[in-house]
Amino acid sequence: MQALNRKNFNKNKYPTKIMQYGEGNFLRAFIDWQIDKLNEKSDLNAGVAVIRPIDYDVIPLLNVQDGLYTTIIRGLNEQGETVADHRIISSINEEIPVYKDFPRYMALAENPDLKIIFSNTTEAGIEYIDTDRLDDAPAKAFPAKLTQWLFHRFNHFNGSADSGMVIIPCELIDYNGEKLKEIVFQYCQLWQLPEAFSSWLNEANHFCSSLVDRIVTGFPRDEHQQLQESLGYLDNFMVTAEYFHLFVIQGPQHLAELLCLQDSDLNIKIVDDISPYKQQKVGILNGAHTALVPLAYMANIDSVGDALADPLFEKYLTQLIFAEIIPTLDLPEDELKRFANDVLNRFRNPYICHLLLAISLNSMTKFKTRILPQLHTYVKTNNAVPNMMALAIAGQILMYKGLRNEQQIELSDAPQWLELFNTLWHDFDNNTLSLNTLVEQVLGAQWHWESDLNELPELTATVTAHLRNMLTEGVATTLTNQLGQ
């Protein structure tokens, strides 16, 4: 078989208009995949210069395949049909190892065609290191490297307004654009850079916060040889991902024109406020995950896909999302319902095996961030307990007894919670603590919830009743009785 490269495959090459910090699977199956599709369907005509932001040589540079690689996108489409699409991505022009070729990296700052910067240096990448210096080659922290590059660009173009950049970090932290800009300005102070440069940063550049959503399953190690034989060529950089994608950017409206999104079918949204979309993702996608885990696991189901194949849990999730979560969110209802249906299809994806026990890591914190806001809003709006959420809380308390079918569960959470649950269940089993008091102790942990959840009308009684039924009848029977199946 032939190797995948530009000599063996005649693929388009585009002028470098985008710089990207990070060469990992996520950016290649998300950002570069979208750029490739825009190049094909619009007048974007943009190539990407990838910067390897850390110093390591374990993985070869993308240059060994001339920047070409294959994305394999698999899952259920909007009609619930199984799809598997492969695409040779040709949007990447080169990968520059910044620690090996710092001059080449800095020379990119002199390219007048460059307009956009993307990054994904992991959550830890957006950091401030006060020992970084302007004349380091390069500085260690990603924001410091970016400041070096922007300052060189400012000087090269004499601070012209049209030399400014749109900077879109994709790291998974809240308001990543604002955080990155804040640290860049810290380096301006540390390095005593001219006030004119700070003004140029503010006036000519846009630091955009983003929300990214796609499960990227990465290099298909177990299927690699089989996929190469099926495709008919050798590719050591192929990457797999789910069908669904969502990219929300809090940025200027002219960015839509810059990316040529006018007639695009990509799920990219340029918005003034990213907050409702963050709440949508946390509430519907993450909240449904977190609520499902203890109930399905304690009903002897081990994966998300298997749970969605069970009509009982499919009905549970549907009621949870559409009746209790969506009414608490601040986006148009039809948009929320489309996202919710996409989420259910993502959970059904036959190409991804999400083990419930793996998702259960630090579940108590997840309940606080993913379910508690919707719980409070629902109670305030309806003056009633959201029953599906109450079932999830009862299931969580039951799971943290640490036993399934008399077998020990490997729980992973904050020691304070594990110790508390161990004590509470020990006392309950020894008849020194009532079930109602056990629930009260969990809901009353103000050090965690930042309020006493026992004060929410009927929540304690409802959770206790569900938990008692789960202990005597099992989770599946309890859900069946509550859902009317």
Side-chain angles (χ1 to χ4, degrees), residues 464-483:
T464 302
H466 290 330
L467 182 57
R468 180 172 288 110
N469 289 334
M470 290 176 187
L471 285 168
T472 56
E473 301 174 356
V475 170
T477 300
T478 301
L479 284 183
T480 300
N481 291 337
Q482 291 297 314
L483 294 168

Side-chain angles (χ1 to χ4, degrees), residues 65-179:
Q65 291 186 181
D66 300 324
L68 300 182
Y69 63 94
T70 310
T71 55
I72 300 167
I73 308 301
R74 306 185 288 196
L76 301 182
N77 64 14
E78 292 81 359
Q79 291 73 44
E81 302 162 336
T82 303
V83 293
D85 174 67
H86 79 273
R87 165 184 285 265
I88 295 177
I89 304 299
S90 61
S91 55
I92 292 179
N93 288 340
E94 62 179 333
E95 181 182 353
I96 301 171
V98 68
Y99 283 85
K100 302 288 191 299
D101 198 353
F102 184 69
R104 173 66 188 144
Y105 161 67
M106 293 298 281
L108 281 174
E110 301 173 10
N111 178 354
D113 293 330
L114 270 174
K115 297 298 181 185
I116 300 174
I117 294 174
F118 294 107
S119 71
N120 188 5
T121 57
T122 76
E123 297 90 306
I126 299 184
E127 62 175 342
Y128 176 71
I129 301 175
D130 62 9
T131 54
D132 275 329
R133 297 291 175 259
L134 179 61
D135 57 1
D136 288 343
K140 185 176 180 182
F142 154 56
K145 293 183 183 75
L146 176 61
T147 308
Q148 290 175 308
W149 190 92
L150 289 169
F151 187 54
H152 185 72
R153 187 172 181 84
F154 166 79
N155 286 327
H156 181 79
F157 290 105
N158 298 312
S160 66
D162 60 3
S163 65
M165 303 293 296
V166 177
I167 301 158
I168 310 172
C170 299
E171 288 81 0
L172 298 178
I173 59 175
D174 282 344
Y175 296 100
N176 42 24
E178 295 175 22
K179 183 63 176 177

Side-chain angles (χ1 to χ4, degrees), residues 242-304:
E242 69 169 330
Y243 175 82
F244 178 86
H245 72 283
L246 172 64
F247 193 15
V248 186
I249 305 169
Q250 183 174 297
Q253 286 305 310
H254 79 261
L255 180 56
E257 296 177 20
L258 194 59
L259 287 171
C260 298
L261 299 180
Q262 292 82 354
D263 299 313
S264 170
D265 60 354
L266 291 170
N267 200 10
I268 303 175
K269 301 178 185 293
I270 312 299
V271 301
D272 295 327
D273 181 11
I274 205 168
S275 177
Y277 294 92
K278 294 175 72 68
Q279 293 167 8
Q280 172 186 255
K281 180 185 177 185
V282 170
I284 297 177
L285 172 65
N286 303 130
H289 247 162
T290 297
L292 174 67
V293 166
L295 294 170
Y297 188 76
M298 296 307 291
N300 298 313
I301 295 174
D302 291 322
S303 72
V304 173

Side-chain angles (χ1 to χ4, degrees), residues 170-417:
C170 299
E171 288 81 0
L172 298 178
I173 59 175
D174 282 344
Y175 296 100
N176 42 24
E178 295 175 22
K179 183 63 176 177
L180 179 58
K181 182 177 181 178
E182 174 189 319
I183 297 178
V184 166
F185 273 87
Q186 282 184 274
Y187 282 111
C188 290
Q189 280 192 318
L190 178 68
W191 297 340
Q192 299 182 328
L193 300 180
E195 185 63 37
F197 174 59
S198 296
S199 297
W200 178 79
L201 285 174
N202 263 325
E203 296 164 11
N205 296 268
H206 297 276
F207 288 79
C208 304
S209 291
S210 73
L211 181 148
V212 298
D213 193 0
R214 167 171 264 180
I215 297 170
V216 174
T217 38
F219 182 71
R221 191 172 308 279
D222 295 338
E223 306 171 83
H224 185 218
Q225 187 57 39
Q226 175 190 343
L227 287 168
Q228 288 187 128
E229 291 171 1
S230 172
L231 295 170
Y233 55 82
L234 302 174
D235 180 3
N236 287 318
F237 290 96
M238 65 174 61
V239 55
T240 60
E242 69 169 330
Y243 175 82
F244 178 86
H245 72 283
L246 172 64
F247 193 15
V248 186
I249 305 169
Q250 183 174 297
Q253 286 305 310
H254 79 261
L255 180 56
E257 296 177 20
L258 194 59
L259 287 171
C260 298
L261 299 180
Q262 292 82 354
D263 299 313
S264 170
D265 60 354
L266 291 170
N267 200 10
I268 303 175
K269 301 178 185 293
I270 312 299
V271 301
D272 295 327
D273 181 11
I274 205 168
S275 177
Y277 294 92
K278 294 175 72 68
Q279 293 167 8
Q280 172 186 255
K281 180 185 177 185
V282 170
I284 297 177
L285 172 65
N286 303 130
H289 247 162
T290 297
L292 174 67
V293 166
L295 294 170
Y297 188 76
M298 296 307 291
N300 298 313
I301 295 174
D302 291 322
S303 72
V304 173
D306 288 342
L308 265 291
D310 186 319
L312 175 64
F313 285 95
E314 182 180 50
K315 185 173 183 179
Y316 168 77
L317 274 184
T318 300
Q319 288 205 19
L320 170 74
I321 293 170
F322 287 88
E324 295 185 359
I325 296 177
I326 284 179
T328 69
L329 299 175
D330 188 22
L331 279 174
E333 186 178 2
D334 59 341
E335 189 171 344
L336 290 166
K337 286 181 176 179
R338 277 198 303 273
F339 183 79
N341 284 319
D342 285 334
V343 164
L344 292 173
N345 276 339
R346 296 169 76 182
F347 286 0
R348 296 185 186 101
N349 190 340
Y351 294 102
I352 297 177
C353 180
H354 269 168
L355 295 177
L356 298 172
L357 198 57
I359 302 171
S360 73
L361 177 70
N362 295 322
S363 281
M364 296 307 295
T365 296
K366 291 174 180 175
F367 262 79
K368 177 184 175 183
T369 58
R370 300 175 174 185
I371 293 176
L372 190 60
Q374 281 63 248
L375 173 67
H376 279 301
T377 302
Y378 186 97
V379 170
K380 183 178 180 181
T381 304
N382 299 282
N383 196 31
V385 173
N387 198 39
M388 300 301 110
M389 294 187 203
L391 283 163
I393 295 170
Q396 178 69 7
I397 296 173
L398 177 65
M399 185 174 176
Y400 272 42
K401 188 175 185 181
L403 291 173
R404 185 176 80 161
N405 300 328
E406 303 307 316
Q407 298 293 314
Q408 200 77 29
I409 302 172
E410 292 186 21
L411 299 172
S412 182
D413 214 313
Q416 192 169 355
W417 270 121

